[in-house]
Amino acid sequence: MTSSASAGSVASCRVTLASPFTDQKPGTSGLRKSTSQFQQAHYLESFVEAVFRVLPGVEGGTLILGGDGRYGNRQAIDVICRMGAAHGLARLITTTDGILSTPAASHLIRRHAAIGGIILSASHNSGGPDGDFGVKVNGANGGPAPESITDAIYAVTQTLDGYRIVEGSPLPLEAPGTHHIGGLQVEVIDGVDDYLTLLESLFDFDAIADLLAGDFPVAFDAMHAVTGPYARRLFEGLLGAPAGTVRNGIPIEDFGGGHPDPNLTYAHELADLLLKGDAYSFGAACDGDGDRNMILGRRCFVNPSDSLAVLTANATLAPGYAGGLAGVARSMPTSAAVDVVAAELGLPCYETPTGWKFFGNLLDAGRITLCGEESFGTGSNHIREKDGLWAVLFWLQILARRRCSVAEVMASHWARFGRHYYSRHDYEAIASDRAHGLYDRLHALLPSLKGTGFAGRSIATADDFSYDDPVDQSTTRGQGLRLLLDDGSRVVFRLSGTGTQGATLRLYLESFVPSGGNLAQDPQAALADLINAADGLAEIRSRTGMDRPTVIT
């Protein structure tokens, strides 16, 4: 434990901007730009200044700060600490080496009754000098800041003429300790312990450790990102798994040159171990900031939509959820697999836009317990973010209680509830004008599509999804173009806002087969007619110039 006072003057100085930055509009997961953009003089400071002007309770308040360890993380922490001091922040909690997962940050915000948090991450985007950087703002409930906050932040950036900062030396983050910058107390804590204690309150660690002690080898890929320190202490420490269970467990500023996105394309080495070999019974991976997860069994990939449904169906096997669930929610593009489970269990089920903040309202109101997105994100009411390691532990809890394989869990689930064949096709880095041209054309066609034929079916509904929030009565429009077919199948088109180069077109495809039907098809084969019809209608190949998707999940 170390303690220090800031050296030199702690007087706040004002830096004048020649002109404001006009491109700092946060998306669903904060402000994401290329690292080079964030390294422009005053760019980071301008956005943080807007955050401190808008976030309620800054003067005299407590803030949580950390990031996923990508290039620029340490320097940004130092800047934000000194700007926090200039704005009258009383207490700032950060972590050793500045490493803090998004789920752990959410927990710390709630545990310390903080005004919110700043999380430095571009999530699953690549890192390094040639990669991406991001700044995400979370509110006092531990979840992503609502649009009222992010819109206000953006408005401030549009007219900003300067920012306040305290000059000083960089703070040491190598070990826990307490430091001061004028009236600001900066606490550097171990970022792992509190979070693992929370997980231990939800799951039976003894039962999971017993599973891992048997003939049940596990491989976890931290992808050289933030979950490495958490996973090593969890799996190889508390749960007694052998050394080497956690792969790529040391955070690296450029993620070892990889893309920290836990899917079959970017975590292909782990996928090959599980899907092409028999050495491991269970595999999992988490993304850059630790909020996404991929689950694999021996010769078995678990679709994220199915994962949410399985967790819902088996929730009472975990001590933290033994009393049952209040309800469940999924994002609109996520398959309706959880809807079927919820209907049988008599649970309320909500369909929301993409973005965890929409789940936050339902969680805060006590309407739901579990929620998830098809983009490898699952979570519960224990925090207000999706949580990668939580999902991995939930699966291990189910396997520890049921004593069967992942493939057997899936087979029994489909035999009971039917199977939603589902896939997402991502077309990345499309020239923006081409992507918007494709999307706008399809949007204009919507009124004429109802009742027309599509892949041997008929289009029952064609719309642009909107959501009326049952908690705050707000309405969110323009959330994705939906084709709902007469047999329950769905095709959804969305343009993603989480990339930094060009645009990403996401195509979601879903076809339901009831129990007793053919439940053993390859998803791409089962969806082939929908895939071809979607390409024909939207003219994806001709308009993007791409013969195939960049990523298929």
Side-chain angles (χ1 to χ4, degrees):
M1 183 72 71
T2 61
S3 179
S4 71
S6 176
S9 172
V10 294
S12 171
C13 68
R14 188 180 188 280
V15 178
T16 300
L17 299 176
S19 60
F21 293 96
T22 60
D23 63 344
Q24 295 190 332
K25 183 174 178 60
T28 57
S29 296
L31 181 67
R32 292 184 190 173
K33 299 290 181 181
S34 67
T35 302
S36 60
Q37 282 179 278
F38 265 104
Q39 288 184 320
Q40 297 176 78
H42 314 303
Y43 194 88
L44 170 67
E45 291 88 342
S46 294
F47 187 72
V48 173
E49 176 72 20
V51 171
F52 281 137
R53 291 191 187 184
V54 170
L55 194 64
V58 168
E59 188 167 356
T62 297
L63 183 78
I64 306 300
L65 174 63
D68 61 13
R70 68 179 59 229
Y71 183 85
N73 190 63
R74 289 285 293 266
Q75 296 89 335
I77 288 174
D78 180 64
V79 167
I80 295 168
C81 285
R82 292 187 289 117
M83 290 186 69
H87 281 268
L89 198 65
R91 184 184 181 210
L92 187 148
I93 299 172
T94 188
T95 53
T96 50
D97 295 319
I99 299 294
L100 181 65
S101 76
T102 291
S106 180
H107 174 53
L108 287 177
I109 291 168
R110 296 167 65 81
R111 182 173 182 270
H112 292 278
I115 62 169
I118 295 178
I119 302 169
L120 304 169
S121 175
S123 188
H124 53 288
N125 292 13
S126 59
D130 298 320
D132 295 334
F133 193 78
V135 180
K136 178 180 173 184
V137 181
N138 280 32
N141 74 339
E147 287 186 7
S148 59
I149 295 292
T150 56
D151 286 349
I153 290 170
Y154 178 57
V156 170
T157 67
Q158 296 296 285
T159 59
L160 195 68
D161 61 0
Y163 61 87
R164 287 185 288 158
I165 191 168
V166 167
E167 297 300 325
S169 302
L171 292 171
L173 301 181
E174 293 76 16
T178 301
H179 313 277
H180 292 86
I181 306 174
L184 172 63
Q185 177 172 293
V186 179
E187 299 174 24
V188 181
I189 67 171
D190 180 294
V192 176
D193 283 343
D194 282 342
Y195 172 70
L196 295 187
T197 298
L198 172 65
L199 294 182
E200 197 167 8
S201 72
L202 300 173
F203 302 109
D204 185 346
F205 276 25
D206 289 338
I208 297 173
D210 184 64
L211 173 71
L212 300 187
D215 184 19
F216 196 84
V218 168
F220 178 85
D221 190 348
M223 306 189 83
H224 286 304
V226 76
T227 54
Y230 297 85
R232 290 200 308 272
R233 200 176 301 180
L234 173 63
F235 293 116
E236 298 176 9
L238 293 172
L239 297 176
T245 294
V246 177
R247 299 162 175 264
N248 302 317
I250 299 175
I252 300 176
E253 289 188 332
D254 67 348
F255 307 114
H259 194 112
D261 196 354
N263 58 43
L264 297 176
T265 298
Y266 296 120
H268 60 88
E269 292 181 0
L270 177 72
D272 287 348
L273 287 177
L274 273 295
L275 302 182
K276 297 180 180 179
D278 297 317
Y280 293 92
S281 299
F282 182 85
C286 289
D287 72 332
D289 65 329
D291 62 355
R292 301 181 188 224
N293 72 92
M294 177 173 70
I295 303 296
L296 300 160
R298 184 175 292 153
R299 310 275 176 170
C300 179
F301 164 70
V302 180
N303 185 287
S305 296
D306 279 342
S307 182
L308 175 61
V310 168
L311 298 189
T312 300
N314 293 273
T316 56
L317 297 181
Y321 308 94
L325 307 177
V328 294
R330 63 170 176 85
S331 65
M332 180 274 287
T334 302
S335 92
V338 73
D339 302 41
V340 177
V341 176
E344 181 164 325
L345 299 181
L347 297 173
C349 183
Y350 299 86
E351 181 182 34
T352 75
T354 296
W356 210 258
K357 58 192 173 187
F358 296 103
F359 295 142
N361 273 359
L362 298 170
L363 290 165
D364 286 346
R367 294 188 179 221
I368 63 171
T369 307
L370 301 186
C371 45
E373 297 179 336
E374 49 70 36
S375 54
F376 295 87
T378 328
S380 87
N381 60 352
H382 68 295
I383 56 173
R384 294 298 183 267
E385 288 278 7
K386 47 187 175 281
D387 191 343
L389 282 175
W390 170 89
V392 174
L393 280 177
F394 212 141
W395 266 94
L396 289 173
Q397 179 77 82
I398 292 169
L399 297 171
R401 291 290 176 86
R402 293 183 55 171
R403 293 289 169 165
C404 62
S405 69
V406 173
E408 288 168 333
V409 169
M410 295 312 307
S412 65
H413 183 87
W414 294 329
R416 179 181 176 186
F417 298 106
R419 182 172 184 181
H420 290 254
Y421 285 101
Y422 181 87
S423 186
R424 187 179 95 185
H425 290 196
D426 289 0
Y427 297 83
E428 298 180 345
I430 306 171
S432 183
D433 58 341
R434 288 192 173 195
H436 285 278
L438 181 157
Y439 198 80
D440 293 345
R441 171 185 170 274
L442 190 58
H443 190 280
L445 288 174
L446 290 177
S448 65
L449 293 178
K450 184 177 180 179
T452 61
F454 188 90
R457 307 161 174 87
S458 176
I459 298 176
T461 301
D463 65 10
D464 192 347
F465 179 67
S466 65
Y467 174 66
D468 295 318
D469 193 304
V471 178
D472 65 12
Q473 284 73 55
S474 64
T475 297
T476 304
R477 296 183 173 85
Q479 294 300 301
L481 311 183
R482 302 189 305 171
L483 305 181
L484 308 183
L485 309 184
D486 58 354
D487 69 342
S489 300
R490 296 193 311 159
V491 177
V492 176
F493 300 83
R494 292 185 71 246
L495 284 181
S496 172
T498 58
T500 62
Q501 297 179 359
T504 296
L505 174 69
R506 302 197 194 282
L507 170 65
Y508 308 85
L509 307 124
E510 176 180 0
S511 179
F512 176 64
V513 174
S515 59
N518 188 350
L519 305 176
Q521 302 176 70
D522 176 88
Q524 300 308 310
L527 297 166
D529 56 346
L530 293 178
I531 294 169
N532 292 331
D535 178 62
L537 176 64
E539 301 176 352
I540 296 174
R541 293 187 186 186
S542 61
R543 288 179 174 272
T544 66
M546 301 176 69
D547 291 332
R548 60 185 62 86
T550 312
V551 179
I552 296 176
T553 52

